[in-house]
Amino acid sequence: MKLGYCTITWGGVVGHPVGVTSVKDLFYVTHGSMDRAVKDIASVGYEGVEMFDGNLAEYADRPEELRGLLEEAGVSLVSVYTGANFIYADILPDELHRIQRSAELAATFGAERLVVGGGARRAAGTTDEDYTRLGEALDRVTDIAESFGLSASYHPHLTTIVEGPEELERLMGLTRIGFCPDTAHLAAGGADPAAMIRKYPERLRHVHLKDLRRDPFTFLPLGEGELDLPDIVEAIKESGYDSWLMVELDEYDGDPRAAAEISKKYLDALLHS
């Protein structure tokens, strides 16, 4: 398995402000330097990176700059992360327009995968129809990704309608999209990440590895939290998945490169034990 790292830690996750008034432009972005992020990730030995669609869009008019950065660092763009509400019929065409743009950019820069989160929680409460709409929308996302030669996967995430194991089970029968377990988000939502991987081995298309501490709650570099990462990695191996393991850390109170290095050393030791 090859190891990659997500650029989110260099600035954290925000949404593009234009999305407040124009949903079609609501890209994910991190406000850190992608130049620094890519170089830091490569410097500690990762082979690939994952970026937000909004950060990729910043290079749309200067593609050779990003291609040069990746080539110089010796890493590949593995995957691109995006997402949407998906449950509101009126805005879905604009959301899919943006996801189409994200997939197009991902393919332009040589990525293999499109990773998607989402499924909004209504102020009035989640309905059965919300899961049906989410499943149908994710099938359309899969079609979009495949039209650009990309593999699509869904990432359960806190604050969406797919946080815990029951919600994931409710969704998986309603869509054909692949599964991207995020180990810490699943655990925070009440799931056993290894058990979820073992439950859906044939759907595994991408992996986000991160650790966490529950009290006080925080995400952490691998090996510094509470998760049984050896069992999680064993579950991944059992599934037959033999591809990219992407380490992700949503935020870090310290040097993001240092966090990436901590996780890299932990994974190297775990995978070669």
Side-chain angles (χ1 to χ4, degrees):
M1 287 184 273
K2 295 181 285 187
L3 305 183
Y5 205 87
C6 302
T7 61
I8 181 176
T9 321
W10 284 258
V13 59
V14 295
H16 196 290
V18 74
V20 174
T21 51
S22 297
V23 170
K24 70 178 180 63
D25 299 313
L26 185 56
F27 291 103
Y28 281 94
V29 294
T30 185
H31 280 329
S33 164
M34 290 300 95
D35 184 90
R36 179 189 168 196
V38 169
K39 289 177 180 177
D40 281 354
I41 289 167
S43 73
V44 296
Y46 293 96
E47 298 178 75
V49 299
E50 178 173 308
M51 293 175 62
F52 283 139
D53 54 355
N55 292 106
L56 207 57
E58 294 171 354
Y59 290 96
D61 296 330
R62 43 193 175 98
E64 293 310 314
E65 184 176 332
L66 179 58
R67 290 194 184 104
L69 172 61
L70 294 167
E71 184 176 355
E72 182 182 350
V75 296
S76 58
L77 178 67
V78 177
S79 42
V80 175
Y81 188 93
T82 185
N85 293 277
F86 291 128
I87 66 168
Y88 305 115
D90 191 46
I91 65 170
L92 183 61
D94 278 0
E95 291 186 323
L96 293 177
H97 167 86
R98 177 172 47 75
I99 286 172
Q100 170 121 358
R101 179 62 172 147
S102 300
E104 180 183 23
L105 286 166
T108 295
F109 289 102
E112 305 170 16
R113 300 171 182 179
L114 188 70
V115 189
V116 178
R121 289 197 180 274
R122 298 177 187 269
T126 301
T127 68
D128 290 340
E129 187 180 10
D130 290 342
Y131 287 96
T132 301
R133 289 184 176 188
L134 175 58
E136 291 172 350
L138 292 175
D139 279 350
R140 294 177 68 180
V141 169
T142 303
D143 290 339
I144 290 169
E146 290 177 351
S147 74
F148 288 98
L150 305 171
S151 171
S153 57
Y154 178 74
H155 176 301
H157 203 287
L158 294 174
T159 76
T160 72
I161 62 174
V162 185
E163 293 184 353
E166 297 83 7
E167 294 170 339
L168 180 59
E169 183 174 4
R170 197 170 182 181
L171 173 69
M172 290 295 269
L174 298 172
T175 179
R176 65 186 180 88
I177 200 168
F179 175 36
C180 171
D182 180 298
T183 56
H185 277 273
L186 284 170
D192 175 344
M196 292 297 95
I197 292 166
R198 290 186 170 104
K199 186 167 187 175
Y200 302 107
E202 73 287 350
R203 301 285 291 273
L204 202 62
R205 298 289 182 274
H206 196 57
V207 175
H208 278 187
L209 294 177
K210 68 161 68 81
D211 211 339
L212 89 164
R213 182 181 64 229
R214 291 179 174 85
D215 188 19
F217 183 86
T218 188
F219 294 123
L220 291 167
L222 301 184
E224 295 203 337
E226 304 172 15
L227 295 190
D228 187 349
L229 290 162
D231 190 40
I232 289 169
V233 169
E234 184 60 32
I236 294 168
K237 291 178 178 178
E238 289 171 10
S239 76
Y241 180 88
D242 187 22
S243 187
W244 287 98
L245 300 178
M246 305 302 294
V247 181
E248 186 184 38
L249 188 57
D250 297 24
E251 56 188 8
Y252 187 66
D253 187 17
D255 178 15
R257 182 188 181 280
E261 188 170 25
I262 291 168
S263 291
K264 180 65 165 55
K265 288 179 177 178
Y266 178 87
L267 262 185
D268 283 343
L270 178 59
L271 292 171
H272 297 99
S273 61

